[in-house]
Amino acid sequence: MRKIGFIGLGIMGKPMSKNLLEAGHQVVVYDLEAAPVLELAAAGAGTASSPKEVAERSDVIITMVPNSPHVKAAVLGPGGVIEGAAPGALVIDMSSIDPIVAREVGAALAKRSIRFLDAPVSGGEPKAIEGTLSIMVGGAEGDFEEALPVLKSMGASVVRCGDVGAGNVTKLANQIIVAVNIAALGEALVLATKCGVDPRQVFQAIRGGLAGSAVMEAKAPMALARNIKPGFRINLHIKDLNNALAAGHEVGAPLPLTAQLMEMMQALKVDGLGEADHGAVIRYHEKLAAVEVKEKSS
Ligand code: NAD
């Protein structure tokens, strides 16, 4: 059993911290919002009034907040984790952020002998609830081995990808592949519909072949049902593509497909779909072709 601090109790952080409690850890939580803190307190967590206090009361401190500036604020800002953590403490950022910022945060903590892992996740709210997330980790081998039992309380797959920052580089790779797959699916189903072929039959015929994918299994049924309830929101995917483009520019890796997806998602945001599921990318193709993809009634 570990003394674990958890900062950021949103869609993902709330179920993840509940799974740590269920695994028998002692958990102390903090969020800018009161409601999820009260919910975790009712489930058995201790509560703190700042990230600094969370760190003072924990050996392992986890952050799960939206993006790079939020991580910097919670970890390095006034009243942040860095002010409360003892030398030797282990900070694990599980948010999806710019890998360059992850390295900056790790370096600032290292100056105080505080250890750091970046460990973003894939799988969304359902897998956060089940405790079956995929977790991609960057950091020192020894820190990874120590964190493994804690991370296994939240994830089914936990893989070390390299040094600090490698977790977020892997997550960006994941987000590029997911975005481009969703767009390919949308484009293909719009073509089929315009050609008068039932998109349900197209999905059934190709799902077992080379074009089949986890993205297709998740998003084709949603497209056919015209369901755009999130899930993973377009606005968050824009954030990830922004981080991918920034990292690509920094290291000299042009990302033409990512840039195209960014502009498509920007158009959808302007059209009022920023809070819709990223599967709503198909609406972009539908507008271009003036058609709606849906299941044909038999
Ligand atoms: P969310 O917006 O639901 O939750 C974020 C929480 O962080 C909020 O409760 C907010 O109040 C809190 N917060 C923000 N700044 C804070 C600060 N300085 N101190 C303390 N708390 C602070 O977001 P989410 O969907 O839970 O996503 C969290 C991270 O996980 C993001 O980086 C996201 O990209 C990533 N992620 C999300 C999903 C998903 O399906 N939602 C899937 C995989 C990864």
Side-chain angles (χ1 to χ4, degrees), residues 65-68 94-98 120-121 168 171 239-240 243:
V65 293
N67 198 6
S68 311
M94 302 190 73
S95 327
S96 306
I97 70 168
D98 183 338
V121 309
N168 275 292
K171 175 69 183 180
K239 179 262 298 183
D240 290 334
N243 287 336

Side-chain angles (χ1 to χ4, degrees), residues 14-93:
K14 209 162 56 166
M16 288 163 72
S17 51
K18 283 184 181 169
N19 283 332
L20 291 172
L21 280 171
E22 269 172 35
H25 298 292
Q26 192 180 317
V27 182
V28 55
V29 299
Y30 173 75
D31 193 287
L32 299 175
E33 305 285 335
V37 173
L38 293 175
E39 192 176 326
L40 261 293
T47 65
S49 58
S50 66
K52 177 186 175 193
E53 191 194 336
V54 168
E56 282 166 352
R57 294 165 54 188
S58 315
D59 312 318
V60 177
I61 303 111
I62 296 173
T63 46
M64 190 56 169
V65 293
N67 198 6
S68 311
H70 311 87
V71 174
K72 277 188 160 179
V75 177
L76 305 180
V81 168
I82 196 166
E83 294 179 5
L90 180 60
V91 176
I92 309 175
D93 177 41

